[in-house]
Amino acid sequence: MNQKFEGIIRSIGEIPESTVLDETQRFEADLDVDSLALMDIIVNVEAEFGIEIEAVHRFATLGELWQQVELLSAGAGI
């Protein structure tokens, strides 16, 4: 994960800087990020990284979303 990605997660999910983020954390259970906030995170990640994430993907953890960002970013030449 990188700082831009983590910044989006923290800002929209209202997660304090004191909370250490790692790829195993679950959006809802560990970070208290509901489905509406997760959609907002995805939209902001798409805009920041210049990618489009298919609506059929379901992301339970930070790592799952970050892996998709990396995969799509590599294909976009970013």
Side-chain angles (χ1 to χ4, degrees):
M1 298 188 308
N2 72 18
Q3 286 183 319
K4 289 181 187 179
F5 181 78
E6 286 188 20
I8 293 168
I9 303 296
R10 286 184 190 286
S11 174
I12 296 169
E14 298 179 358
I15 300 166
E17 289 293 326
S18 60
T19 300
V20 176
L21 296 178
D22 70 63
E23 293 185 4
T24 64
Q25 289 169 310
R26 296 167 292 174
F27 284 103
E28 191 170 337
D30 298 326
L31 300 173
D32 199 28
V33 172
D34 65 21
S35 59
L36 186 58
L38 180 54
M39 288 305 302
D40 196 12
I41 288 169
I42 291 170
V43 166
N44 280 271
V45 165
E46 287 176 325
E48 179 66 38
F49 290 92
I51 59 174
E52 186 172 329
I53 298 171
E54 295 292 325
V56 296
H57 289 291
R58 300 285 182 237
F59 304 101
T61 67
L62 294 176
E64 290 173 1
L65 178 55
W66 178 242
Q67 286 175 350
Q68 188 68 25
V69 170
E70 286 185 312
L71 177 69
L72 294 170
S73 294
I78 297 172

